[in-house]
């Protein structure tokens, strides 16, 4: 008897994608949780946990907030009604938050970066976005130096406490 092909494991809640590089490249000034408008096949694809937001950004355009260049792969079980992988997706924030974000971006030097794409406890897809200021190369080196020193300091303290 032929076996049925296994369906991929589906996420009910939890992290789908995380942009770990953003916290290194940018100084995060403020974070905000935004809803995201998705089609049915996009939600199914997200539940398989294969999205990428590392190269994406959010942009206020035409009085709305858009997620640009996020990659949600096609849902393989869908047929002709599949979605476009890198289409712009509308982010859902209040008018007050949108006005504040738009003002901060236009002020100069700030950008809106997605930090984490996840399903909340109610099963809704959410995007954690951060208002960020770009770091210079010397700031990145200094951050890495401090991180290394804190790691070494913790190890020295741990070893010194034993003996």
């Amino acid at each position: 008897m032929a076996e049925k092909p296994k369906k991929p494991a589906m996420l009910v809640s939890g992290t789908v994608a995380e942009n770990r590089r953003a916290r290194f490249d940018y100084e995060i000034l403020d974070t905000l949780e935004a809803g995201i408008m998705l089609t049915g096949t996009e939600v199914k694809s997200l539940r398989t946990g294969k999205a990428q937001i590392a190269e994406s950004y959010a942009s206020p355009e035409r009085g709305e907030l858009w997620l640009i260049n996020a990659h949600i792969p096609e849902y393989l079980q869908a047929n002709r009604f599949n979605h476009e992988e890198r289409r712009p997706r509308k982010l859902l924030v209040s008018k007050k938050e949108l006005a504040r974000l738009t003002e901060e971006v236009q002020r100069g030097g700030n950008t809106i970066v997605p930090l984490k794409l996840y399903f909340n406890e109610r099963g809704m897809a959410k995007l954690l976005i951060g208002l960020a200021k770009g770091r210079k190369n010397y700031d990145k080196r200094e951050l890495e130096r401090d991180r290394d020193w804190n790691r070494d300091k913790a190890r020295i303290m741990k070893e010194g406490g034993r003996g």
Side-chain angles (χ1 to χ4, degrees):
M1 191 167 3
E3 290 184 28
K4 288 185 179 179
K6 288 186 178 181
K7 286 187 177 180
M10 296 291 198
L11 289 173
V12 176
S13 65
T15 303
V16 176
E18 194 167 358
N19 189 355
R20 297 179 63 199
R21 183 89 185 156
R23 294 197 186 270
F24 181 72
D25 289 339
Y26 299 97
E27 178 184 346
I28 307 298
L29 306 173
D30 189 20
T31 60
L32 174 71
E33 183 182 70
I36 182 168
M37 284 184 71
L38 300 169
T39 63
T41 56
E42 287 173 326
V43 174
K44 291 241 184 201
S45 183
L46 280 181
R47 290 203 187 276
T48 62
K50 292 190 179 6
Q52 295 174 357
I53 57 171
E55 299 166 358
S56 62
Y57 62 96
S59 173
E61 298 171 5
R62 303 180 304 273
E64 296 173 333
L65 191 61
W66 295 88
L67 178 64
I68 311 292
N69 206 27
H71 181 264
I72 299 176
E74 283 188 352
Y75 185 60
L76 298 176
Q77 282 75 25
N79 52 14
R80 63 179 182 209
F81 299 111
N82 230 324
H83 62 275
E84 192 178 324
E85 292 182 355
R86 289 197 183 268
R87 74 176 181 89
R89 293 164 179 94
K90 186 176 173 183
L91 297 178
L92 306 171
V93 294
S94 70
K95 287 182 183 179
K96 187 175 169 183
E97 291 166 340
L98 178 63
R100 184 178 64 84
L101 288 172
T102 304
E103 179 184 328
E104 292 287 338
V105 168
Q106 288 175 348
R107 197 181 305 180
N110 294 338
T111 186
I112 305 169
V113 293
L115 302 173
K116 187 167 139 182
L117 181 61
Y118 61 96
F119 286 104
N120 66 4
E121 46 292 329
R122 291 179 49 207
M124 307 292 263
K126 298 290 181 178
L127 184 72
L128 184 67
I129 56 176
L131 184 64
K133 187 174 206 70
R135 281 198 174 117
K136 304 283 187 214
N137 280 336
Y138 57 84
D139 290 335
K140 292 178 190 178
R141 286 193 296 270
E142 184 179 332
L143 178 72
E144 202 166 320
R145 195 176 317 119
D146 291 344
R147 214 180 275 155
D148 289 345
W149 167 240
N150 287 334
R151 192 179 309 120
D152 290 344
K153 186 168 56 172
R155 191 185 69 239
I156 291 167
M157 294 296 284
K158 183 178 175 185
E159 290 172 0
R162 284 192 208 148

